[in-house]
Amino acid sequence: MPDQVVTPAPPEEEVAGTRPPLRRRRRGGRRRSIVRRLVTLPFLLLGMTLLMFLISRFLPADPAVAFLGNNGADNQQAVDAFNAKYGLDRPIWEQYWIYLDRLLHGDLGTSISTSRPVAAELADAFPATLELAIAALLISLLVGIPLGILAAARRSSLFDRLTGGATLLGVSLPPFVLALVALQVLYLRLGWVAGPGRLDPFLDPPPTVTGLMTIDALLAGRPAVALDVLHHLVLPAVVLGIIHGAFFARVVRSTMVDALRGDFVRTARGKGLAGRVIVGRHAFRFALIPTLSLVGLTFGELFAGAITVETITGWPGVGRYMYNAATKLDFPAVMAGTLVIGVAYVLVNLLVDILYGVADPRVEAS
Amino acid sequence: MSSLLRITDLSVEFPGGVRAARGVSLEVAAGETLAVVGESGSGKSVTALSVLGLLPEEATVTGGRIEFAGVDLLRCPRRQLNELRGRAVAMVYQDPLTALNPVLTVGRQIEEGLQRHLGLRRRAATVRAAELLDLVGIPQAARRLRDYPHQFSGGMRQRVVIAMAISCDPRLIIADEPTTALDVTMQAQILDLLRRLRDDLGTSLMVISHDVGVVAGLADRVAIMYAGRVVESGTAVELIGAPKHPYGRGLLASVPRLDAPSRVRFAAIPGTPPDPTALPAGCAFAPRCGHVVDRCRDADPPLLDAAGGRLVACWRHAELALGGAG
Amino acid sequence: MTRPVESAPGLRLFRPTTPGQWAGLSIIALWVLLAVLATVLSADPLAQQTADRLQGPSLAHLFGTDQLGRDVFSRVLQGGRATLPIGVSIVLLATLVGVPLGALAGFVRGWLDEAVMRVADLLFALPALVLALAIAAALGPSVSSAVIAIAAVMWPRYARLARGQVLTLRRREFVLADRATGASPAQVLWQTVLPNAAPVVTLVAVLDLGTATLAGATLSFLGLGVQPPTPEWGAMVSTAVQTPEAWWSSLFPGLALVSFVVAVNLYGQVFDRKGLGR
């Protein structure tokens, strides 16, 4: 079984974005491993809160300054109130307890730059990023997988070499560079895509059902609005989609090449099956599994990439929120945003793994 | 007797000057079972895989003909070859675990052959696939169609491979070391299965093995290969009873017998097989042969006629048969 | 006593085999050279001539000028002096922290192993760049913050790697033999186990160079790394975002960044077939 680029650290090693990471599978089959993940989930989330708590208390020179901002900290009253509210004079575990308590009540702090509750701002921004991430993922799979299959089927041909070069470039591109270039060309020069925002300001947004505006617009029976959203979505989604499409293309090609070397391919040939069937059915199915196992990981990269891409293209999601928070040193926003993204990432990964297990009834040999 | 498969002078090379097959000639007659025996490196698997053109990419066929029912499989168009593969000629492979696709159900893998060659629709193919699994002795066949290869035991997997092979009623089945990857009890079962199917279906069989014992009960004719060539061939009864080539003798003598006294040491052939990139000029067995003379080292003996349909590649086969001392 | 080093391929491992890999290595070398010679080859990157702001490429300014009238060519060349060392520092720090921790965890097992692995799992559970952003913000924006933050997110990979190598190697005879002769765990680790683990770790480190450099540039883009007015490729793109019509002010630093990462990835393929799979 095949046992591994963009921005930091998928868990196992990989080589120049070509090999899929080996995934360690535990004994006992899929169901048990899902159950195990569900059981450890609360601990993982708890651990994340602890991590963010420790970072926000122990890393800054003065947490009060960090949370209130330089201006806010000038006001001694504000500082005292802050210390009282967050128990900075109490022992650490009490502080952590207070922190957790606030979290569970939905209090993610107040933004220094906007003075609004961070939780509300994140709730506004998050669905936009989710929509972007899903769109980008779809693009990357739709582009990357066929490209990888063709490259593997025509190994060492000119097509393969060209694709190899293009995908190498794709995984080496920083999202912010591609986003800026794409903005300059597609928007400024050619005017093919819409400007900042999710929707033309003259249009009314559809009632929120899923939070994904395209879907919501279609559900509300307003396809023109959906189209407009897509017009705005296409630039950031394509930028991220290209980069990760290149990644998937390389992974698929690599796993397909391995698959095509397998004895079962020889068996298939020995049965007189046509090349297309062998590649399309035998090799592809075999290569699909390690590829899909990377989808969860890709979400993490998409969230990270969204930070710069949303900013440059003006898509109002969590990424842009984090960018603003970071550049303005809006400490509470950064910390809360990181936690929320982290939680979302963990949940998405779990969901992807469950879906993946449902779709593929084959249990990996333990 | 018409020959169904005739391999003439087949030569196959691998990169690095490795001559895996050097002028191999074999025949399988219709309805006959031929066993090809030899140690690893003798070129027997390479020969078997060459028939259906299943050699790895890096291998090159440098000469010879493989005729099946009049068609030269080495030179016929790809489309024609694909028609024959799985239909007229089918293969059973050595390691059923890797031979089957782990991500497709067993049923699917059987059905695709049926759909491809017999034009069966999906439902009919499924029914037939269940029948085939039943035929090869897999219990609860219909349910098992939906299982994946790893859910079967080794012996069962090999039965699945056999089911795939017989699915389109081939005239010839080539079994490349069909029992090597299995334990002894399974070996017996698989061999029984092959025998039964062969008898019931009348298929010709070409069995490759390094284990003479495996093929003894199954074969009509035997061919022994060494260092990429056939060194002896003849009917199973005669050859196994009285091999004429020194290597053949050594091979058969080295098979342990249940009725031998327990203190008897295993007879082994001294030396090791030659390096396929640096084969000696004369007979390839000469360095290890107990009866070698100068002529053996100078010239590589072709298959010589030794009466009674026997072919032996040894200059001294006649003398040795008379019990002549070396 | 001899210290058998089983799988030490030596520097042969790093030798490029295809034209692509040679090209990659050359480009890396070129950028290093340019960074070293930057001050000689270019003018003052901080010199502002506001009269000349936002001029396109010309003979006077090969890459044009940015919105403060600074020569982009000089800034790109000198930007390498910030961007490249950051990437290297990150990888170095991550290895220096991760490898000993992981090796120790794998060697002594027990609670240390559990602890290290749990922390690593936790760090893997967050998207790396996002967490690095938070850490860098908490530490206060500076170059060292960026380096520490990204290294903090990358070390678990090396820890896992080293631990895996140690786990495989600790049962080998020569390690057991060493211990039988009374060598202390630290000695065995240092003299026998680590040299065998070194090739794999180096391999990953080289490949990570591109990723680390990008991460550093991204944090600088966000204002959390190199601070203005120091030229750095990511930071330069960041300021250029405000003036998208002046394509030269973003394109050239962007190209510099891309070319370096492409070069690292191209060269990184040298490890592809050297049988270093675990």
Side-chain angles (χ1 to χ4, degrees):
Chain A
M1 222 51 52
D3 51 34
Q4 246 224 87
V5 162
V6 187
T7 34
E12 313 285 2
E13 67 185 284
E14 64 196 43
V15 178
T18 53
R19 301 205 148 266
L22 284 167
R23 264 276 251 243
R24 285 199 222 125
R25 293 254 170 216
R26 300 181 192 261
R27 294 188 171 275
R30 187 172 305 274
R31 189 164 300 159
R32 222 170 293 176
S33 88
I34 299 278
V35 168
R36 185 179 287 124
R37 305 247 327 249
L38 283 170
V39 166
T40 53
L41 182 66
F43 295 100
L44 187 59
L45 295 177
L46 206 65
M48 245 189 263
T49 61
L50 183 61
L51 180 65
M52 297 314 298
F53 170 73
L54 290 174
I55 290 177
S56 55
R57 287 292 182 277
F58 288 107
L59 293 187
D62 184 347
V65 172
F67 273 99
L68 297 175
N70 275 312
N71 292 333
D74 284 340
N75 182 342
Q76 189 55 41
Q77 255 189 327
V79 173
D80 291 337
F82 175 81
N83 285 338
K85 186 177 179 197
Y86 291 98
L88 280 185
D89 45 347
R90 311 261 191 82
I92 316 171
W93 44 90
E94 272 203 54
Q95 290 189 39
Y96 179 55
W97 182 248
I98 297 174
Y99 170 77
L100 263 187
D101 187 52
R102 303 214 95 85
L103 271 184
L104 290 170
H105 283 97
D107 177 4
L108 291 172
T110 311
S111 161
I112 295 178
S113 39
T114 67
S115 302
R116 290 182 61 214
V118 173
E121 301 189 309
L122 284 174
D124 280 341
F126 203 80
T129 302
L130 204 58
E131 190 172 15
L132 172 60
I134 294 176
L137 184 67
L138 285 175
I139 293 178
S140 63
L141 290 174
L142 287 173
V143 167
I145 293 181
L147 217 57
I149 295 177
L150 283 174
R154 293 170 200 196
R155 194 151 49 98
S156 307
S157 68
L158 181 64
F159 177 82
D160 186 24
R161 286 185 214 277
L162 287 177
T163 322
T167 54
L168 186 68
L169 180 63
V171 299
S172 312
L173 280 171
F176 58 88
V177 169
L178 184 61
L180 194 50
V181 169
L183 184 80
Q184 288 167 334
V185 172
L186 294 176
Y187 176 61
L188 289 179
R189 226 151 267 228
L190 295 173
W192 284 354
V193 299
R198 287 175 91 175
L199 197 59
D200 189 322
F202 293 115
L203 291 174
D204 287 327
T208 308
V209 176
T210 61
L212 308 178
M213 235 184 239
T214 2
I215 314 270
D216 288 346
L218 288 173
L219 287 176
R222 300 168 61 193
V225 173
L227 215 60
D228 189 67
V229 177
L230 281 178
H231 200 214
H232 285 83
L233 181 59
V234 69
L235 183 60
V238 163
V239 166
L240 288 173
I242 287 180
I243 293 177
H244 292 92
F247 175 68
F248 277 118
R250 292 179 81 80
V251 167
V252 167
R253 179 197 180 277
S254 168
T255 52
M256 284 286 287
V257 166
D258 280 346
L260 288 170
R261 287 208 191 107
D263 281 350
F264 61 84
V265 169
R266 184 177 65 182
T267 310
R269 285 169 61 210
K271 290 196 279 193
L273 299 176
R276 223 174 311 123
V277 171
I278 298 177
V279 167
R281 184 188 301 151
H282 283 262
F284 176 61
R285 267 320 162 84
F286 186 79
L288 195 61
I289 288 160
T291 307
L292 287 185
S293 69
L294 295 173
V295 166
L297 220 62
T298 307
F299 260 103
E301 300 294 319
L302 286 171
F303 285 141
I307 296 177
T308 49
V309 171
E310 283 181 5
T311 308
I312 294 176
T313 59
W315 183 260
V318 169
R320 192 176 75 161
Y321 187 77
M322 289 294 280
Y323 174 85
N324 287 326
T327 45
K328 297 192 184 111
L329 294 179
D330 188 343
F331 201 72
V334 169
M335 290 300 132
T338 307
L339 184 60
V340 166
I341 292 179
V343 169
Y345 180 45
V346 167
L347 291 177
V348 164
N349 259 307
L350 195 57
L351 184 66
V352 166
D353 274 359
I354 292 176
L355 285 177
Y356 174 65
V358 163
D360 173 28
R362 188 180 70 95
V363 176
E364 293 265 4
S366 49
Chain B
M1 175 132 66
S2 57
S3 65
L4 188 60
L5 175 75
R6 182 182 298 157
I7 302 175
T8 318
D9 224 22
L10 176 71
S11 294
V12 178
E13 256 188 57
F14 281 82
V18 175
R19 299 169 63 200
R22 310 179 291 132
V24 173
S25 296
L26 292 170
E27 258 186 61
V28 182
E32 169 181 78
T33 299
L34 171 72
V36 180
V37 181
E39 45 194 294
S40 24
S42 57
K44 51 196 201 306
S45 281
V46 166
T47 308
L49 290 173
S50 303
V51 174
L52 284 180
L54 297 176
L55 289 170
E57 260 179 59
E58 57 270 20
T60 332
V61 174
T62 52
R65 305 180 55 153
I66 300 183
E67 282 172 68
F68 178 82
V71 181
D72 184 356
L73 298 178
L74 291 175
R75 286 165 190 83
C76 69
R78 170 58 59 96
R79 191 156 306 190
Q80 200 175 11
L81 187 61
N82 273 340
E83 280 299 317
L84 294 170
R85 283 169 167 174
R87 176 104 199 246
V89 182
M91 268 195 85
V92 173
Y93 304 88
Q94 180 171 338
D95 186 356
L97 182 58
T98 60
L100 293 170
N101 191 330
V103 306
L104 296 177
T105 62
V106 148
R108 192 79 196 83
Q109 298 189 54
I110 300 178
E111 286 160 26
E112 62 183 355
L114 294 169
Q115 290 172 301
R116 195 281 185 231
H117 289 295
L118 304 182
L120 295 185
R121 311 279 296 269
R122 192 58 178 269
R123 203 154 300 167
T126 311
V127 170
R128 180 78 187 121
E131 284 172 17
L132 286 163
L133 281 188
D134 192 48
L135 201 63
V136 297
I138 292 181
Q140 300 187 301
R143 204 168 58 82
R144 296 288 256 164
L145 281 181
R146 290 192 290 274
D147 283 345
Y148 292 88
H150 67 268
Q151 293 170 280
F152 291 78
S153 71
M156 291 284 166
R157 274 196 286 269
Q158 192 62 301
R159 290 174 192 263
V160 170
V161 174
I162 292 173
M164 271 184 357
I166 62 172
S167 62
C168 300
D169 232 338
R171 294 171 65 189
L172 170 67
I173 293 180
I174 303 176
D176 183 12
E177 305 254 21
T179 57
T180 307
L182 306 173
D183 66 50
V184 181
T185 34
M186 307 240 206
Q187 278 187 21
Q189 290 176 10
I190 296 295
L191 290 171
D192 275 343
L193 176 63
L194 282 174
R195 187 180 304 120
R196 182 164 62 81
L197 290 173
R198 189 249 339 243
D199 292 341
D200 290 346
L201 304 171
T203 337
S204 309
L205 203 54
M206 179 169 148
V207 183
I208 319 289
S209 183
H210 65 271
D211 187 346
V212 176
V214 159
V215 295
L218 200 55
D220 298 320
R221 295 178 57 85
V222 177
I224 301 182
M225 283 185 68
Y226 183 78
R229 301 192 53 202
V230 178
V231 294
E232 184 166 2
S233 75
T235 62
V237 173
E238 289 178 13
L239 195 152
I240 295 178
K244 296 194 178 185
H245 191 283
Y247 174 67
R249 283 200 187 161
L251 202 61
L252 283 149
S254 68
V255 177
R257 296 178 58 114
L258 280 176
D259 57 354
S262 49
R263 290 291 173 83
V264 170
R265 307 174 82 190
F266 286 152
I269 309 174
T272 52
D275 177 354
T277 58
L279 290 162
C283 170
F285 189 64
R288 305 168 74 184
C289 185
H291 308 286
V292 63
V293 295
D294 285 332
R295 188 179 186 203
C296 302
R297 283 190 261 267
D298 292 332
D300 197 0
L303 280 171
L304 302 166
D305 206 330
R310 293 271 234 126
L311 294 171
V312 188
C314 177
W315 297 123
R316 305 189 63 201
H317 72 90
E319 318 159 31
L320 296 175
L322 297 172
Chain C
M1 186 188 316
T2 50
R3 299 257 175 255
V5 188
E6 270 194 351
S7 54
L11 286 168
R12 237 184 315 127
L13 181 65
F14 294 89
R15 206 169 176 282
T17 49
T18 73
Q21 294 161 20
W22 276 113
L25 193 57
S26 318
I27 295 178
I28 295 174
L30 181 64
W31 274 118
V32 171
L33 194 64
L34 287 176
V36 167
L37 296 176
T39 42
V40 171
L41 294 170
S42 59
D44 182 2
L46 304 182
Q48 300 181 20
Q49 293 175 269
T50 36
D52 288 337
R53 51 194 292 266
L54 294 178
Q55 302 287 314
S58 64
L59 281 177
H61 299 284
L62 280 172
F63 287 172
T65 58
D66 67 0
Q67 63 190 112
L68 291 177
R70 298 176 291 202
D71 177 31
V72 175
F73 179 74
S74 309
R75 286 179 69 78
V76 168
L77 241 52
Q78 306 221 8
R81 297 163 76 92
T83 312
L84 299 181
I86 290 179
V88 173
S89 316
I90 292 171
V91 173
L92 272 178
L93 189 56
T95 357
L96 286 173
V97 168
V99 170
L101 257 182
L104 207 60
F107 205 68
V108 303
R109 309 301 305 273
W111 68 267
L112 179 66
D113 190 19
E114 272 302 305
V116 170
M117 283 300 108
R118 290 303 135 245
V119 172
D121 282 343
L122 186 60
L123 289 172
F124 283 139
L126 283 126
L129 190 67
V130 178
L131 183 57
L133 193 165
I135 297 176
L139 287 171
S142 76
V143 174
S144 46
S145 305
V147 171
I148 294 173
I150 300 171
V153 177
M154 282 184 102
W155 73 260
R157 192 142 102 117
Y158 293 93
R160 267 229 186 135
L161 207 57
R163 176 179 179 273
Q165 290 288 305
V166 166
L167 284 179
T168 328
L169 290 169
R170 74 202 294 261
R171 296 229 178 85
R172 298 281 176 81
E173 296 76 29
F174 54 91
V175 174
L176 292 173
D178 271 3
R179 300 229 48 198
T181 62
S184 76
Q187 271 182 309
V188 179
L189 204 64
W190 180 250
Q191 284 164 322
T192 313
V193 173
L194 282 182
N196 279 296
V200 184
V201 172
T202 327
L203 149 78
V204 176
V206 168
L207 294 175
D208 267 350
L209 195 58
T211 315
T213 312
L214 267 186
T218 309
L219 281 190
S220 299
F221 177 90
L222 298 173
L224 294 172
V226 173
Q227 297 299 301
T230 315
E232 192 274 340
W233 295 337
M236 288 169 70
V237 176
S238 178
T239 43
V241 170
Q242 296 158 19
T243 53
E245 327 78 45
W247 53 268
W248 53 91
S249 53
S250 58
L251 185 69
F252 293 112
L255 275 181
L257 203 48
V258 173
S259 68
F260 182 74
V261 178
V262 166
V264 171
N265 282 338
L266 267 178
Y267 173 63
Q269 291 178 319
V270 77
F271 299 116
D272 261 351
R273 252 167 265 214
K274 303 283 173 92
L276 279 164
R278 305 213 255 116

